[in-house]
Amino acid sequence: MLRTFSLVGMAAQAEGRRLKAKASATGTRMAFYAGAGVMGLAAFVVLHFVLWFIARNSFGTVVSSLLVMVFDLVLAGICVFLASRNTTAREEIEAQAVRNVALTGAAQSAVSGFTTQAGPLMALAGIAIAALWPKLRGGRRL
């Protein structure tokens, strides 16, 4: 039974490590989203004016505005792509594997501990029922 509690404790530690690794990966992803926001804002403020003035001399006002908008959308799309990559950290995968092995071992240990400890008790209960059965039935035998 002690092995079961040890394995459950190991599984809890592994789950804690997995959640910590997942939180770290989520923090990195949020940093990329923040970078995408900053890049979008910077592109909106600075690049709009610079590219619009450059393109206005060659293409006119409307076409230069469309070119600036397409450039901004491409930059924003690149940042969103980098932020949304779903890469699972190696530490998270290892911690999840340890947790699964520990929980499987704990379940097997609990079942085997129950059967080895409950076997003699069930035999004793069977003997007691066999001895008391005639009295429970009112002393009549079939």
Side-chain angles (χ1 to χ4, degrees):
M1 200 63 157
L2 184 60
R3 181 174 188 271
T4 301
F5 290 124
S6 174
L7 289 171
V8 169
M10 185 187 309
Q13 288 177 349
E15 181 67 11
R17 284 182 46 219
R18 186 186 74 81
L19 290 175
K20 185 178 178 182
K22 190 171 185 172
S24 175
T26 301
T28 302
R29 193 174 308 129
M30 290 301 115
F32 276 119
Y33 280 127
V38 169
M39 285 303 297
L41 184 62
F44 183 75
V45 173
V46 176
L47 293 177
H48 279 86
F49 291 116
V50 172
L51 293 176
W52 188 78
F53 280 122
I54 292 172
R56 186 182 65 153
N57 292 334
S58 300
F59 301 110
T61 306
V62 174
V63 174
S64 63
S65 297
L66 289 174
L67 288 174
V68 169
M69 182 184 70
V70 168
F71 180 74
D72 289 340
L73 289 175
V74 168
L75 279 179
I78 289 171
C79 288
V80 168
F81 171 75
L82 290 174
S84 65
R85 289 185 302 172
N86 190 11
T87 56
T88 306
R90 183 179 57 89
E91 296 168 354
E92 183 181 351
I93 293 170
E94 289 175 357
Q96 194 169 10
V98 169
R99 181 199 65 189
N100 292 342
V101 167
L103 287 177
T104 302
Q108 289 173 350
S109 176
V111 168
S112 68
F114 176 75
T115 56
T116 57
Q117 292 173 359
L121 291 176
M122 296 198 53
L124 187 60
I127 292 170
I129 289 174
L132 294 174
W133 186 254
K135 294 183 186 217
L136 292 173
R137 296 209 25 145
R140 293 180 291 174
R141 292 200 170 209
L142 294 175

